[in-house]
C-alpha cells in the first residue's frame, strides 16, 4: 500500500458526460501528479501540483482540469467525455516537487466511456 | 528533449535464470532515473531510483540497475527470476528542468516460465 488513495476505483459513464476523480496523497506529501495510462498512448503525464499551485503541465487536454485543495487532496475533472478517454488514471504524490523525490502511485481509477 | 526507450516490449525467462530489462535515456540535463513495476490490475510500485549518487543502485526484491552515462543506459537486472516477478516494468526519467514530471518508457512485459 503506497498510501495514495484514489476514488472511485472503477467508473463507467457515457460520452459527453463529466466525471471527477479524487486523490488523497500520502500523509506529508505536498506534490500531487496525475497520469493517464491507455493501451495506445502508454503512461502519459497530465499535470502536477505542489502545495496547491500548478507546477507542471503535460499532455492534458483542454477538456480536462485539475486542482489541489488546501488539505492537499486533488481532483481531476474530465468533461465532454469521448470514447478515447477510457483509460486508467493514476494519481501520485511526493514530499516535494524536486528531482530525486520518490513518487508514490495510487492504484488508479479505471474510467470506461461508453 | 528528454525521453526514455525500453528496448524490448516483451522478455521471457525461465524461473531461476537472470533477468535483463534494457533501458536507454536521452537527456540534456542530469537525469533522475527510476524503474517501476506494475502487476496486473495493480498500481505502480517503485523498484529503485538513481539520483546521481552511486551508479549501481539496489532496489527491492533483488533487483538492481546500473547507471552508465557513457552508454546513456539504465538496465534493470536480477540474478534469478521468480514467478512473482512476472509483470510490466517501466523505465522512467524525470524532467529535472521543468517541474518534476516523470517520463515513462513504453514498458517491458516480463514473462517467467516454470
Amino acid at each position: 500500500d503506497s498510501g495514495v488513495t484514489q476514488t472511485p476505483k472503477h467508473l463507467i459513464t457515457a460520452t459527453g458526460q463529466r466525471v471527477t476523480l479524487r486523490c488523497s496523497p500520502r500523509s506529508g506529501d505536498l506534490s500531487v501528479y496525475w497520469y493517464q495510462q491507455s493501451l495506445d498512448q502508454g503512461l502519459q503525464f497530465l499535470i502536477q501540483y505542489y502545495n496547491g499551485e500548478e507546477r507542471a503541465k503535460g499532455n492534458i487536454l483542454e477538456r480536462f482540469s485539475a486542482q489541489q485543495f488546501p488539505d492537499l487532496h486533488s481532483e481531476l475533472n474530465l468533461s465532454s467525455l469521448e470514447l478515447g478517454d477510457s483509460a486508467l488514471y493514476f494519481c501520485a504524490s511526493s514530499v516535494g516537487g524536486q528531482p530525486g523525490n520518490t513518487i508514490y502511485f495510487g492504484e488508479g481509477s479505471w474510467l470506461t466511456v461508453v | 528533449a528528454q525521453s526514455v526507450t525500453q528496448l524490448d516490449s516483451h522478455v521471457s525467462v525461465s524461473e531461476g535464470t537472470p533477468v535483463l530489462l534494457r533501458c536507454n535515456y536521452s537527456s540534456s540535463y542530469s537525469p533522475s532515473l527510476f524503474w517501476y513495476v506494475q502487476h496486473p490490475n495493480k498500481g505502480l510500485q517503485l523498484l529503485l531510483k538513481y539520483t546521481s549518487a552511486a551508479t549501481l543502485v539496489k532496489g527491492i526484491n533483488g533487483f538492481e540497475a546500473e547507471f552508465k552515462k557513457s552508454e546513456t543506459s539504465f538496465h534493470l537486472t536480477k540474478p534469478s527470476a521468480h514467478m512473482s516477478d512476472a509483470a510490466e516494468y517501466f523505465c522512467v526519467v524525470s524532467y529535472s528542468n521543468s517541474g518534476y514530471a516523470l517520463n515513462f518508457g513504453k514498458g517491458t512485459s516480463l514473462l517467467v516460465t516454470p
Side-chain angles (χ1 to χ4, degrees):
Chain A
D1 183 4
S2 67
V4 179
T5 304
Q6 291 187 244
T7 57
K9 292 192 184 306
H10 300 274
L11 187 58
I12 301 175
T13 191
T15 54
Q17 295 298 306
R18 171 190 171 94
V19 298
T20 297
L21 308 181
R22 193 177 190 280
C23 171
S24 294
R26 293 189 327 143
S27 177
D29 284 0
L30 298 179
S31 198
V32 170
Y33 313 77
W34 286 97
Y35 286 83
Q36 179 194 59
Q37 185 178 33
S38 61
L39 283 175
D40 54 344
Q41 298 290 329
L43 266 157
Q44 301 250 339
F45 167 68
L46 296 179
I47 198 163
Q48 176 200 2
Y49 281 84
Y50 178 77
N51 204 20
E53 295 189 2
E54 183 182 305
R55 172 67 67 91
K57 186 176 280 191
N59 300 320
I60 188 166
L61 300 173
E62 287 190 8
R63 299 184 286 108
F64 297 179
S65 64
Q67 55 184 326
Q68 186 180 26
F69 295 87
D71 67 353
L72 301 178
H73 90 272
S74 177
E75 293 181 354
L76 178 67
N77 299 296
L78 315 174
S79 61
S80 302
L81 284 167
E82 302 175 358
L83 296 177
D85 297 327
S86 296
L88 179 57
Y89 291 85
F90 283 111
C91 173
S93 72
S94 64
V95 171
Q98 302 304 317
N101 287 165
T102 298
I103 295 183
Y104 296 90
F105 284 78
E107 296 204 348
S109 292
W110 281 99
L111 173 65
T112 301
V113 182
V114 297
Chain B
Q2 296 164 323
S3 67
V4 58
T5 302
Q6 292 183 243
L7 299 169
D8 307 292
S9 58
H10 296 84
V11 169
S12 180
V13 301
S14 299
E15 189 177 20
T17 64
V19 175
L20 170 63
L21 305 183
R22 299 182 295 165
C23 173
N24 286 105
Y25 69 93
S26 65
S27 174
S28 301
Y29 301 85
S30 297
S32 293
L33 293 158
F34 308 79
W35 278 97
Y36 280 83
V37 62
Q38 184 179 25
H39 288 91
N41 300 316
K42 292 289 186 182
L44 292 153
Q45 182 183 21
L46 178 69
L47 280 177
L48 50 82
K49 68 176 183 180
Y50 166 78
T51 55
S52 74
T55 57
L56 182 62
V57 183
K58 294 188 183 298
I60 62 172
N61 300 335
F63 285 94
E64 62 182 38
E66 186 172 7
F67 173 72
K68 292 187 177 180
K69 187 174 182 178
S70 61
E71 299 176 10
T72 60
S73 69
F74 191 58
H75 301 333
L76 181 71
T77 60
K78 182 174 180 176
S80 176
H82 192 272
M83 296 296 290
S84 61
D85 294 328
E88 189 84 10
Y89 291 79
F90 294 94
C91 183
V92 184
V93 64
S94 72
Y95 286 103
S96 60
N97 61 322
S98 178
Y100 181 39
L102 298 179
N103 187 22
F104 281 77
K106 296 287 188 187
T108 298
S109 180
L110 177 64
L111 174 66
V112 182
T113 58

